[in-house]
């Protein structure tokens, strides 16, 4: 492995030897026939974790969103989302293709919006107005900088949707980060909504897989779309075993990622940078106020051994189980050296 400090994403983790051993040893069957015992065990465990009746294993988080949107909606309906939601911004328009829906975006505050947005998006029943078919939340919010939905706001939006018979879907790619950061358990976030999923390839450190949970009836309908979209698998227990291993070993330690992110944040602010407030394991740095371009600064930092990603003109850093406290210090040293040079050269 290279010794680059890898802050570009929490998807960059490599499975440990113990996780690989668990995957190799997995008992398997035909997942498409619902006969893979390891997948079935994972789905039961995640359904319980999220306070739901049932769950289905899917190859990716993106497919959880596609399957959920298709299962909840009819073509032509609106899906209410924050403007920077992953479904709206980072899925290549997949919901339009897979479900024929339109997105109705609202400008949330770091991804968080209030019940007023639901009221505004809802139209009287009519053949004329497109109908609000789904409200989708993201907890934590990726492009909001790992931001958190406060429980009261979350409950208020869910209540506003349910009062209008509109279901609520939660993109919980990083829900376990929210659980660890807030101390509110996963079932509390999950039990009041109509579908919710967690990703195993982000901070949980597995190489593959996501699990979508909901009522028995919802999951039965979801299976139709899983199959239609090519998400039914065969001996997927080898993959599910990595996810079970992640649940056993990699949840509580997300607190370390949050502590490392906070340290990174404080150091970057100390260097005079414009940084999103720390919430969980993601931050954005806007280099424009110091006269630097994100792509150029990214390349300069990579030459100094630190990799960040660039999202719409800002640098993004994400902490995860393959970055320790010393990696964060190295990242801060790289920033300091890089900015020191630019300050000397530019003033
Ligand atoms: C990564 C991510 C997804 C997609 O998950 P994949 O497993 O990469 O397909 C969806 N939503 C959010 C918020 C994400 O961060």
């Amino acid at each position: 492995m290279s010794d680059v400090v890898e802050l570009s994403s929490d998807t960059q983790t490599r499975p440990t030897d113990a996780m690989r051993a668990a995957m190799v040893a997995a008992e398997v069957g035909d997942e498409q026939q619902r006969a893979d015992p390891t997948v079935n065990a994972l789905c039961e465990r995640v359904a319980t974790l999220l306070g739901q009746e049932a769950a289905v294993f899917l190859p990716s988080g993106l497919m959880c969103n596609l399957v959920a949107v298709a299962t909840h909606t009819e073509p032509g309906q609106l899906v209410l989302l924050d403007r920077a939601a992953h479904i709206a911004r980072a899925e290549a328009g997949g919901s339009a293709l897979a479900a024929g829906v339109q997105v109705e975006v609202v400008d949330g505050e770091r991804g968080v919006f209030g019940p007023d947005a639901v009221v505004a998006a809802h139209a009287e029943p009519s053949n004329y107005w497109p109908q609000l078919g789904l409200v989708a939340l993201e907890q934590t919010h990726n492009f909001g900088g790992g931001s958190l939905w406060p429980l009261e706001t979350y409950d208020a939006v869910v209540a506003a949707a349910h009062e209008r018979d509109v279901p609520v879907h939660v993109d919980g790619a990083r829900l376990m980060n929210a659980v660890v950061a807030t101390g509110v358990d996963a079932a509390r976030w999950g039990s009041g909504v109509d579908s919710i999923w967690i990703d195993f390839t982000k901070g949980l450190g597995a190489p593959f897989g996501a699990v979508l949970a909901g009522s028995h009836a919802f999951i039965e309908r979801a299976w139709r779309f899983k199959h239609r979209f090519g998400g039914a698998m065969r001996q997927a227990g080898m993959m599910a075993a990595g996810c079970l291993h992640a649940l056993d070993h990699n949840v509580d330690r997300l607190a370390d990622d949050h502590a490392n992110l906070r340290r990174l944040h404080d150091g970057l602010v100390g260097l005079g940078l414009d940084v999103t407030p720390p919430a969980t394991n993601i931050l954005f740095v806007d280099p424009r106020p110091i006269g630097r371009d994100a792509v150029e600064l990214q390349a300069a930092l990579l030459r100094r051994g630190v990799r960040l990603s660039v999202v719409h003109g800002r640098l993004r850093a994400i902490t995860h189980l393959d970055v320790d406290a010393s990696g964060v210090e190295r990242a801060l040293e790289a920033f300091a050296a890089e900015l020191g040079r630019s300050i000397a050269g530019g003033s």
Side-chain angles (χ1 to χ4, degrees), residues 120-136:
H122 183 258
E124 290 310 309
S126 131
N127 290 331
Y128 188 72
W129 311 112
Q131 298 290 299
L132 182 60
L134 183 65
V135 174

Side-chain angles (χ1 to χ4, degrees), residues 60-62 65 86 91 138 142 171 173-174 197 199 201-202:
S60 70
L62 201 155
N65 281 335
H86 201 277
E91 301 190 353
E138 200 174 299
N142 183 341
D171 174 340
R174 295 186 181 80
W197 63 272
D199 211 337
T201 64
K202 303 283 168 77

